[in-house]
Amino acid sequence: MACSGEEVTSEESGEESNGMNLMDFSDEILLHILRYIPVSDLVLNVRRVCRKLSVLSLDKSLTHTVILHKNYQVDKGKVKQLMREIGIDIHELNMAGCYWVPGMTIDQVTRCKNLRKLNLSGCHLTSLRLSKMLSALQHLRSLAIDVNPGFDASHLSSECKATLSRVLELKQTLYTPSYGVVPCCTSLEKLLLYFEILDRSREGLIISGQLMVGESNVPHYQNLRVFYARLAPGPVNQEVVRLYLAVLSDRTPEKLHAFLISAPGGFAQSCAVKNLLDSMARNVTLDTLQLPRSWMNGSSLLQLLKFSNPVYFSFSRCSLSGSQLVQRVLNGGKDLRSLVGLNLSGCVHCLSPDSLLRKAEDDIDSSIVETLVASCCLLKHLNLSAAHHHSSEGMGKHLCQLLGQLKGLLSLALPVCAVADVSITTTDKPTVQPVANVASQGFGKKVRIGVQTYSRNCLEQGNSKPPSSVFWTLLESLPFLEKLELIGSSFSSAMPRNEPAIRNSLPPCSRAQLVGDAEMAAIGQLAFLQSLTLAQLPNVLTGSGLISIGVQCQRLRTLSLANIGLMGKMMYISALMDMLKQCKCLQDLRLEQPYFSANAQFFQALSHCSSLQRLCIVSRSGTLQSDAVMSFMANCLEVIMCHMFTGESLTVCRNLQHSLIRSFQAERPALDVVVFPLLHEDLTDVIRDVPMMHLDEITLFKSRVAEEPPNLWW
């Protein structure tokens, strides 16, 4: 596309012999092509190529929406130039997670006089700066911001409040107890709240969740259609969200159709919450629902609530039985083709018949799965992780065979033991039993074992379907799957949120010992796969299946591997390095493995991932080579996040972190580096300074399938 107006004319005859010149395409076709280029590149680069592209690059159909989210190359100078040249034409601006852009630069948003949607989540914003900005944006209807310590609503001008009074959609991330701008948004139809308040300040002071009474007003919420609240761990977050809910308890909005509260751990009901739920049962009809497990367990709430054309349900960690799932959620097996997302993560009994004597590891009832598949035939996102969903041998169909009927699935999360095929005996899989024996000898113990080296021609090997492989058949039936998670039912990350690192982990399910290299190779069938998570697969030896994935899944952008193979023995490292050499589109890599050695060989292989942007390594008792890390960062110019939590000393970690920042911060303004001992007592204080976008998307391990309703925010 590098051309000039004169060059196009002078070389016209030469182009005719080779085919049509790109500039000979119609404006409509060129505009369609240009839509795939970020607006920042169009305005700052492409428009300077030739006169024709200069005109087309500024077409209002292209400059209407500007997305700077994850555009890590955009610095403050480019943002200013962008706002100066096309600010008046921008109607939607997404700067979410642009933590590296200074607050003074964000002030340039005031040039976007016609802005209707603005996302500034993760950006530096004070109440005074927000007041000045919103005063100039009279057409704004959708807003996303952070509320940080020091926020003062009294600093908001009357013009700012007038703009907020017309806002219909608000997404607010709270880092301090506050109502934020909610009291000013009197026309709200959609309210999304993310509670990230820590229990203690940086100085160690206990934070209170009390808010001033009278800051909010019940009539402000009467137009509310969607209410969503996601809580980070901690009692303060629960205390503050109760105050938000108390506002809704007196008069429940009649148009409310989506009500979601995501809260980890126990979250006791208050009187106001009970009144709210009773009112919802009487007055509203829902299509989207998620409630804390303590509100659902043992209650008749599902019987009382009314649903119409449901779109998304999340019963994560709830004590939902098989009969409750069929009768109350699936409405007795009636048509629920409207349902797009279903999260049953941690619902250990949801696929099993009711029984007081049943154990979590007992076999599932295939008829319940058959009802689920028949009712929700258009389901696109399904999460069944964090439970033991064991298919019985010879009785009914295997879970994988039934799920294969959901041809439209785009994302799927399963426990590792759920894909095990007990009909295949251990004689068919000679590697299974030795793994179980070796694993039982303890973590990190030096044991010599005989392991076959994998064939280098793993692509040919991976294409041969193993006999009677139910997991292979499942993936063969889901050709359009974009996100897959296989997570051990007892897996827990060594680095939980707001707590010290976990030093020990629970042993894997016995059936997980039946899942190994062959099942991993089956994933290579998924040509459209973009995100893959594999955690706690103890029977992976050579890791040969990884090479099939690397070669065939060329769209893979996110890879998360945790506790693969024997604890303390990363025998699949050779295959992993061969895989990484094939992953040209990989952007995010997370590795969590005890005793992992991040050495020169590993980083040399990783350097082949030319699109890599974010790297996170979590390794209890792991080591790293500082010079290899520096060389890797110098070669991979796109990497802007490097998080490494290992067993190295604090001195080694600090020296490497300072060297990385000193060497690369100037040319990579978005660079975020954290190198720290995993088991250090100050880890939680270090974590609190990580940009929320990185922390939530890659650094902290969690299942992300059907985590939220689709299209919750634009």
Side-chain angles (χ1 to χ4, degrees), residues 161-306:
K161 292 180 179 179
T163 297
L164 288 170
S165 68
R166 295 185 287 270
V167 168
L168 303 178
E169 301 176 349
L170 176 65
K171 178 182 178 182
Q172 192 170 255
T173 303
L174 295 151
Y175 295 94
T176 187
S178 172
Y179 284 123
V181 299
V182 171
C184 304
C185 301
T186 57
S187 303
L188 277 183
E189 295 181 1
K190 177 185 287 189
L191 177 59
L192 276 57
L193 300 167
Y194 293 77
F195 295 86
E196 298 289 343
I197 310 167
L198 296 175
D199 295 334
R200 292 181 179 271
S201 66
R202 294 183 182 277
E203 296 75 24
L205 301 176
I206 297 176
I207 295 177
S208 170
Q210 293 298 318
L211 300 178
M212 292 180 60
V213 178
E215 280 191 64
S216 203
N217 201 351
V218 175
H220 295 176
Y221 304 93
Q222 286 313 109
N223 295 322
L224 207 61
R225 296 173 178 268
V226 177
F227 181 89
Y228 174 88
R230 192 187 79 175
L231 285 68
V236 176
N237 291 308
Q238 296 184 10
E239 190 176 354
V240 176
V241 77
R242 284 194 182 96
L243 297 175
Y244 278 85
L245 294 173
V247 177
L248 296 171
S249 62
D250 292 335
R251 290 179 57 190
T252 306
E254 297 177 358
K255 298 179 181 179
L256 189 70
H257 66 83
F259 187 79
L260 305 105
I261 298 179
S262 174
F267 185 13
Q269 283 191 39
S270 63
C271 292
V273 167
K274 188 177 185 304
N275 292 337
L276 171 61
L277 296 177
D278 291 342
S279 178
M280 286 173 53
R282 293 192 306 269
N283 302 317
V284 302
T285 301
L286 300 172
D287 60 28
T288 305
L289 177 69
Q290 178 177 7
L291 294 176
R293 63 181 181 184
S294 56
W295 298 8
M296 298 286 294
N297 294 348
S299 74
S300 57
L301 191 58
L302 276 179
Q303 288 179 310
L304 301 176
L305 291 174
K306 297 185 287 290

Side-chain angles (χ1 to χ4, degrees), residues 531-551:
S531 176
L532 175 63
T533 298
L534 301 173
Q536 202 180 40
L537 278 75
N539 196 37
V540 171
L541 296 181
T542 64
S544 57
L546 288 173
I547 303 179
S548 296
I549 297 171
V551 172

Side-chain angles (χ1 to χ4, degrees), residues 493-525:
S493 174
M495 204 171 77
R497 183 72 184 275
N498 297 344
E499 300 171 19
I502 296 177
R503 296 172 183 268
N504 297 309
S505 57
L506 297 174
C509 171
S510 58
R511 284 207 186 185
Q513 305 286 354
L514 298 171
V515 181
D517 294 299
E519 285 73 20
M520 187 180 287
I523 300 172
Q525 301 175 86

